[in-house]
Amino acid sequence: MKFTPPLSGTILVADDNASNRELLDELLAAQGFTVITASDGAATLQELSRTQIDLVLLDVMMPHLNGFQVCEKIKANPDTYLIPVIMITALSDKQDRLEGIKVGADDFLTRPVDRTELLARVGSLLKLKQRTDELERAESVLFSLARSIEGKDPYTHGHCERLAEYSARLGKQLGLSEDQITALHRAGVVHDVGKIAVPDAILLKPGPLTPDEWTIMREHSVVGERICAPLKSFRLVLPIIRHHHEKFDGSGYPDGLRGENIPVTARVLQIVDVYDALTTIRPYKPAFSITDALQTMKLEVAKGWWDPHIFDQFEQLARSGNANFLSRGASAGS
Ligand SMILES: [Fe+2]
């Protein structure tokens, strides 16, 4: 019975042994896959950096960089970590499998490679990859939308990227989970996507907003949540979008949540959001120095607006001398 692959795709076969490479190449090419080969770890990484690869078949024993090291690098790189990796190990070598799991391998095959098993595993991982690609496309549409809204206002240039980076860093400092940090990173970019529903006359108004205009402006957090709601991978991002304008004393919007009822991730993002607004030049104010921004925020903490513990951690981070964190014109001494 002929095996019919459910998908097409480009598969990278990495093996230092030429006859092993040829065998896999022939087998996969005969099923309609595009096959690229690499004979060592460095060449594998090079191929991954220049070609759109859908799956990697990785030999464990290779010179220079072995299969584990290559897999670890693939999984640590945001551009490649979603590419499934099947490691080919020696028969019944439990240690190799454990090591492979540690470095993030998605599946294993043992030598001698069984043709049917190979095609079944390749097929199921490619199917999964296709779904991930679809999801990624949906996410990138949202990110582009968020960036295009930010792009309307020259004063907030780079705001989304800074927020993504700073809030993820503050989340790490607070010991939040990996999932929460990923959510913070995404929320940093998309938290204001709901401003798509705010007319430019309000969004870009140089002067203060009227009460009616504020009502419209305030809807952006709920609208943003609605826009992102269909994406299951944004489950932890939605509460950040909805609640990023709540205040610790309950005086914020949209729900007037108070204290720890505001999701911790939203409390993290809002501290960074406020800091970025203060240290950036706006039509109605100059860019504050780090000291002035932190001082202003300290007064706001005293007023009951922001979480005091998260602000303390943020202040430590901001004053830790990490130049990257504060690289935009503001300086601690001024
Ligand atoms: Fe906002």
Side-chain angles (χ1 to χ4, degrees):
M1 188 180 77
K2 188 171 159 31
F3 177 86
T4 316
L7 301 151
S8 59
T10 303
I11 300 176
L12 176 58
V13 173
D15 199 316
D16 60 323
N17 181 310
S19 51
N20 285 345
R21 280 199 308 273
E22 278 161 26
L23 186 78
L24 290 171
D25 186 352
E26 260 173 42
L27 230 163
L28 294 163
Q31 301 297 324
F33 295 114
T34 306
V35 183
I36 294 173
T37 58
S39 57
D40 62 40
T44 308
L45 294 174
Q46 205 175 14
E47 272 309 332
L48 281 161
S49 69
R50 64 177 174 213
T51 315
Q52 198 74 37
I53 301 290
D54 296 303
L55 184 139
V56 184
L57 276 169
L58 194 56
D59 178 31
V60 169
M61 301 291 287
M62 287 193 294
H64 313 303
L65 282 176
N66 67 33
F68 300 127
Q69 292 166 313
V70 173
C71 185
E72 197 165 27
K73 285 187 188 296
I74 293 173
K75 296 298 177 182
N77 181 344
D79 292 332
T80 56
Y81 79 101
L82 291 173
I83 300 172
V85 175
I86 301 179
M87 298 207 80
I88 304 179
T89 65
L91 187 64
S92 74
D93 194 332
K94 196 174 163 201
Q95 197 51 42
D96 274 2
R97 287 199 169 222
L98 287 176
E99 190 67 26
I101 291 169
K102 244 191 261 171
V103 294
D106 296 275
D107 208 344
F108 299 90
L109 278 169
T110 46
R111 278 191 209 291
V113 173
D114 178 85
R115 177 180 175 277
T116 318
E117 191 185 358
L118 167 77
L119 296 177
R121 288 180 194 268
V122 164
S124 80
L125 281 174
L126 280 177
K127 213 183 285 176
L128 201 64
K129 170 73 165 43
Q130 199 177 53
R131 287 196 199 126
T132 319
D133 285 350
E134 282 163 10
L135 191 66
E136 271 222 301
R137 276 193 286 275
E139 284 181 13
S140 64
V141 168
L142 273 185
F143 289 152
S144 306
L145 184 62
R147 288 191 181 103
S148 75
I149 297 161
E150 177 198 83
K152 283 186 186 180
D153 184 351
Y155 288 98
T156 57
H157 183 71
H159 175 69
C160 290
E161 301 304 330
R162 288 195 298 274
L163 234 59
E165 192 194 328
Y166 297 175
S167 54
R169 217 180 289 183
L170 179 57
K172 251 183 228 166
Q173 162 111 347
L174 288 159
L176 300 189
S177 71
E178 278 292 310
D179 286 350
Q180 286 172 311
I181 290 164
T182 306
L184 275 171
H185 213 274
R186 287 170 165 156
V189 181
V190 301
H191 67 287
D192 274 342
V193 72
K195 285 185 178 170
I196 188 87
V198 179
D200 283 0
I202 299 175
L203 195 62
L204 305 176
K205 189 175 174 182
L209 301 184
T210 66
D212 284 350
E213 288 168 340
W214 264 120
T215 305
I216 294 169
M217 183 63 125
R218 284 197 181 110
E219 281 169 10
H220 81 273
S221 47
V222 174
V223 173
E225 182 195 30
R226 206 179 305 139
I227 290 173
C228 297
L231 269 186
K232 284 210 172 74
S233 60
F234 270 44
R235 192 176 49 86
L236 296 179
V237 183
L238 301 183
I240 311 179
I241 300 173
R242 183 178 181 95
H243 298 298
H244 75 277
H245 287 291
E246 303 284 1
K247 289 200 176 110
F248 210 58
D249 62 2
S251 65
Y253 63 89
D255 299 318
L257 293 187
R258 194 181 281 268
E260 296 193 351
N261 288 329
I262 306 167
V264 63
T265 41
R267 280 179 271 145
V268 168
L269 186 99
Q270 61 184 193
I271 293 256
V272 180
D273 196 10
V274 171
Y275 174 82
D276 195 73
L278 289 172
T279 54
T280 313
I281 186 167
R282 296 287 157 99
Y284 50 89
K285 68 160 200 58
F288 283 25
S289 69
I290 295 166
T291 302
D292 289 349
L294 290 173
Q295 194 51 40
T296 304
M297 291 175 77
K298 210 173 271 184
L299 293 174
E300 292 175 351
V301 169
K303 268 194 230 172
W305 287 5
W306 319 125
D307 182 323
H309 170 65
I310 296 179
F311 175 73
D312 279 353
Q313 294 291 312
F314 177 77
E315 190 175 16
Q316 274 179 35
L317 203 58
R319 292 195 186 279
S320 66
N322 186 337
N324 247 351
F325 194 76
L326 306 158
S327 57
R328 294 160 309 99
S331 64
S334 54

